Amino acid sequence: MLFILVSTFMGAVTTVQTAFNLVAPYIPRYVISQVVREMTVLELAPTIYGYHLCGKVGSSMAGNLGTMRITEQVDALEVMGINSVSYLVLPKIIASLLMYPMLVILSGVCALAGGYLVGSLTGVISPTDYIFGIRFVFNEFTITFALIKAFVFAFLVSSISSFKGYYTVGGALEVGQSSTQAVTTSVIAILIADYLLAQLLLSPA
């Protein structure tokens, strides 16, 4: 519920702020929805929720694996002849790769819907202009690029968090430190990956 609420208000705020700054009379109103489309679908949906994935899911992964490591549950699995990495880490990475792109798609839809709702209620843009702006000169690669970013961010967060938790050494204090390191390292990795992906895939030939 919180995810849908944040996504909806993200589109609503982008609509209102764009309309507020669109002061030139010769600029058509449908530009507002174009800005909302590009900002929410291409950038905000994958990146903002990448940070959410770090703080919520990544820290949980690191904490759970760290606790299993210091309580020797991982050692017990290895004594029984079970590959602990495949048993504990791989399902987390696969689940992240499957679910996070779906959340990004849902976030983009909710953001566009929030912009439509607020634009219609406040009168800053008519429903017809809003829909026209979303469809005007739409580049389908925008969706593909957003999903590429979602897959990359999901892999980075899940793998880094699992690594930090799996190789925790010490006690309860070190488990907390591993969770913190997982979040900070994942955020930095997302920022770097976001720039590199934009440079590689969106830069002109």
Side-chain angles (χ1 to χ4, degrees):
M1 184 63 186
L2 180 63
F3 181 87
I4 296 176
L5 187 64
V6 172
S7 300
T8 303
F9 273 90
M10 186 169 62
V13 171
T14 305
T15 300
V16 173
Q17 289 185 342
T18 305
F20 175 77
N21 289 282
L22 200 66
V23 295
Y26 51 82
I27 299 179
R29 303 305 291 177
Y30 64 79
V31 172
I32 296 173
S33 55
Q34 285 185 301
V35 174
V36 175
R37 180 190 70 194
E38 299 302 324
M39 286 293 295
T40 56
V41 176
L42 183 61
E43 184 61 31
L44 291 180
T47 307
I48 293 298
Y49 286 100
Y51 302 147
H52 176 76
L53 188 71
C54 295
K56 179 66 177 177
V57 180
S59 61
S60 178
M61 288 181 183
N64 290 337
L65 288 173
T67 301
M68 295 184 71
R69 170 63 75 179
I70 67 171
T71 56
E72 299 181 351
Q73 297 179 52
V74 176
D75 298 331
L77 289 173
E78 293 176 348
V79 167
M80 291 187 292
I82 299 174
N83 188 331
S84 59
V85 175
S86 298
Y87 188 76
L88 297 174
V89 176
L90 185 60
K92 293 177 172 56
I93 296 177
I94 293 176
S96 298
L97 291 174
L98 291 176
M99 293 307 299
Y100 186 63
M102 296 182 185
L103 291 177
V104 168
I105 294 173
L106 178 61
S107 174
V109 172
C110 291
L112 293 176
Y116 176 86
L117 182 63
V118 169
S120 301
L121 293 177
T122 59
V124 296
I125 181 173
S126 66
T128 303
D129 286 339
Y130 190 89
I131 298 299
F132 179 79
I134 290 177
R135 300 175 61 183
F136 186 69
V137 293
F138 175 68
N139 184 2
E140 293 83 0
F141 184 71
T142 301
I143 305 297
T144 304
F145 184 63
L147 292 178
I148 291 173
K149 290 170 66 172
F151 277 110
V152 173
F153 295 168
F155 176 77
L156 288 174
V157 172
S158 57
S159 58
I160 291 173
S161 301
S162 298
F163 176 84
K164 293 292 184 180
Y166 187 84
Y167 289 101
T168 300
V169 177
L173 177 62
E174 284 72 21
V175 172
Q177 292 175 347
S178 295
S179 297
T180 302
Q181 291 174 4
V183 173
T184 54
T185 306
S186 297
V187 168
I188 294 172
I190 285 177
L191 290 172
I192 296 174
D194 192 18
Y195 169 76
L196 292 178
L197 287 172
Q199 185 69 28
L200 290 173
L201 300 178
L202 296 182
S203 59

